[in-house]
Amino acid sequence: MSGAERETADDAAAPVVPAPWLPRGLADAVAAAGERLARLGVRAGERVVLDTPTRARWAVLPYLLAADRLGAASLLADAGWTGRERDAVLADAAPHHVVGTDGRAATADGGARTPGLFLLPTTSGSTGVPTVLARDRRSWRIGFDILGALPGPVLVPGPPSSTLYLFGALHALHHGLGLVTRGRLDPTDLPDGGSVHLVPAQLTALLDERRRRPGGPAPRVVVCGGAHVAPGMRERVARLLPGTTLLEYYGSAEHSLIATRRDDGPLRPVEDVHLTVRDGVLWVDSPQSVHGRFTRGALVPAGPGPTTVGDRAELTDDGGLTVLGRAATTISSGGTLVAAEEVEQVLRGVAGVGDVVVAGTPHASLGMVVTAVVEARDGVPDRRALRAAARAGLSPAKRPRRWLVTRALPRLGSGKPARAAVDAALRDGTLDAVPLGGPE
């Protein structure tokens, strides 16, 4: 990249991916989308909600890049939102335009414009209604450079409404890599010698397919985010994909990249990110942090200094990071605080487990009992293997006492389990799950 190009990229007003860096077909699509947005009256500083049909979600990418060139901030609607979630998001974002890639469009009085923003990401909604955040271009460019160039081409198999997949796509374009986008993971799409962005459930599916059908295309790098990768899964990657590097990262919609790990190395904070732990809760001071969040059309600034999303964590003496899970998902069982994510990490590595959600369910004497809802893959998981993993990886008070199995967990558009939906279904008895084996 020339010095002039780098100077342009570092200009806060320049598009997040300058036009000369785009492949010809995408550049033409961005130009056409820009013409349509201009005809609709989209102006700098305005907020635009972009809608796409479920069958063609990545048709939104040219519109996002075109809106960015006009100086507008985009919110990519999630086709998986409930009506209540969509209404809440639109009420907080108060968009000036709602534009569908299928030809629909509507204009509204969105109130005050908010210049300088390029993206309005939403929190995943895994534990409640999504929150609308405000991000500028510079915060993601920093992340692009921290993650560095990957081997191309790059496969991004998930919806762009999830920042995990959108970041992967824009990162590839930023580094001039070939980009392949899909709505879901199909192992036949894997770029031999390239890279792929996944969440742990997709990585499990990829490894299961590799076990059943050895050989075939294999990526040089698997980038995995969205949840912790258990040691057992890292071991499976090393065994089934021996020539593949596993690049795991921990981040959030609010802070972008926080820490990374390669293969079996420790999870460490990335450059210029400063971490502190107060009363067991992680606080993050990062140049990648969002500006704030929108409430009823008003931008509420995040303020200077460290912020937190409520993750519980520990810092080691040598600077390593151990993430224990969101405080909001902590289960109080018999006087012991149990991090749901910690239990999930241990159980995800068991053969036959596609994914797992751990929740608390009422108990007469313990208050709450640790309950594991296991998504089966290739038949029913072995309960003895699950219990053995729990004994090996968890103290007695943290081990599940109630085991349920389901064919499919409810999921968000990103592919992550919908934790709030599981909790609600457990409370009202509507979860499509059955007991796994006999009682404890």
Side-chain angles (χ1 to χ4, degrees):
M1 184 185 307
S2 71
E5 287 176 323
R6 174 58 62 193
E7 183 179 356
T8 299
D10 289 340
D11 182 352
V16 68
V17 181
W21 302 2
L22 297 177
R24 178 63 182 272
L26 180 56
D28 291 344
V30 171
E35 291 175 0
R36 183 181 173 214
L37 293 179
R39 289 196 302 270
L40 292 172
V42 175
R43 298 179 296 167
E46 291 187 329
R47 299 180 295 280
V48 182
V49 170
L50 297 175
D51 273 321
T52 53
T54 302
R55 65 183 182 280
R57 292 177 176 176
W58 282 100
V60 78
L61 184 58
Y63 281 83
L64 168 72
L65 297 174
D68 182 36
R69 279 156 176 69
L70 293 172
S74 296
L75 189 156
L76 277 57
D78 188 336
W81 282 335
T82 65
R84 180 179 69 91
E85 289 171 329
R86 182 181 171 91
D87 289 346
V89 167
L90 265 63
D92 280 338
H96 300 86
H97 305 271
V98 178
V99 179
T101 60
D102 58 359
R104 295 170 295 131
T107 301
D109 180 10
R113 287 186 282 175
T114 47
L117 304 178
F118 101 95
L119 185 67
L120 307 181
T122 57
T123 57
S124 67
S126 57
T127 57
V129 174
T131 299
V132 180
L133 305 173
R135 184 170 292 284
D136 65 13
R137 303 169 185 88
R138 177 177 175 271
S139 64
W140 265 24
R141 288 197 190 108
I142 293 172
F144 296 158
D145 290 337
I146 287 174
L147 198 60
L150 300 172
V154 178
L155 173 64
V156 181
S161 54
S162 165
T163 53
L164 183 150
Y165 300 113
L166 181 62
F167 179 88
L170 296 183
H171 171 270
L173 295 174
H174 173 87
H175 287 287
L177 305 172
L179 174 63
V180 179
T181 56
R182 296 288 187 269
R184 61 181 180 83
L185 175 65
D186 183 337
T188 63
D189 290 328
L190 285 174
D192 197 24
S195 303
V196 58
H197 289 258
L198 302 175
V199 295
Q202 292 172 316
L203 180 56
T204 297
L206 172 59
L207 295 173
D208 288 347
E209 176 68 17
R210 194 73 175 187
R211 175 178 55 81
R212 288 190 296 266
R213 297 180 179 83
R220 279 180 57 196
V221 176
V222 170
V223 183
C224 195
H228 178 74
V229 177
M233 193 179 298
R234 294 200 295 272
E235 184 277 329
R236 291 189 73 199
V237 172
R239 177 164 45 86
L240 295 171
L241 296 168
T244 298
T245 296
L246 176 60
L247 174 55
E248 179 188 354
Y249 68 85
Y250 160 65
S252 68
E254 292 85 349
H255 301 114
S256 199
L257 293 179
I258 297 173
T260 60
R261 180 205 325 263
R262 288 184 180 269
D263 296 321
D264 281 329
L267 190 64
R268 293 191 180 280
V270 302
E271 183 180 358
D272 294 329
V273 170
H274 303 285
L275 306 179
T276 55
V277 175
R278 306 176 191 169
D279 298 324
V281 176
L282 183 69
W283 288 75
V284 181
D285 192 357
S286 170
Q288 303 172 60
S289 295
V290 295
H291 279 276
R293 61 188 62 209
F294 277 93
T295 300
R296 299 291 170 178
L299 177 60
V300 181
T307 57
T308 184
V309 296
D311 280 345
R312 297 171 59 250
E314 296 173 350
L315 293 172
T316 61
D317 291 339
D318 63 353
L321 172 67
T322 301
V323 182
L324 303 176
R326 192 65 50 93
T329 63
T330 298
I331 303 161
S332 179
S333 180
T336 299
L337 296 179
V338 182
E341 288 95 335
E342 181 184 0
V343 183
E344 292 163 359
Q345 291 166 14
V346 171
L347 301 181
R348 280 195 186 102
V350 176
V353 174
D355 211 337
V356 60
V357 168
V358 170
T361 52
H363 189 274
S365 59
L366 297 175
M368 301 291 280
V369 65
V370 179
T371 300
V373 183
V374 179
E375 182 180 80
R377 187 180 299 280
D378 298 333
V380 179
D382 186 335
R383 189 167 185 262
R384 289 175 298 179
L386 285 165
R387 294 181 67 185
R391 285 195 301 271
L394 300 165
S395 61
K398 296 180 179 180
R399 297 170 192 165
R401 290 176 175 245
R402 184 184 180 198
W403 299 86
L404 300 173
V405 62
T406 181
R407 294 180 62 184
L409 288 165
R411 293 192 176 274
L412 304 169
S414 65
K416 295 192 292 185
R419 189 181 300 276
V422 173
D423 284 340
L426 282 170
R427 286 195 303 270
D428 60 26
T430 60
L431 185 66
D432 184 14
V434 298
L436 179 61
E440 289 287 332

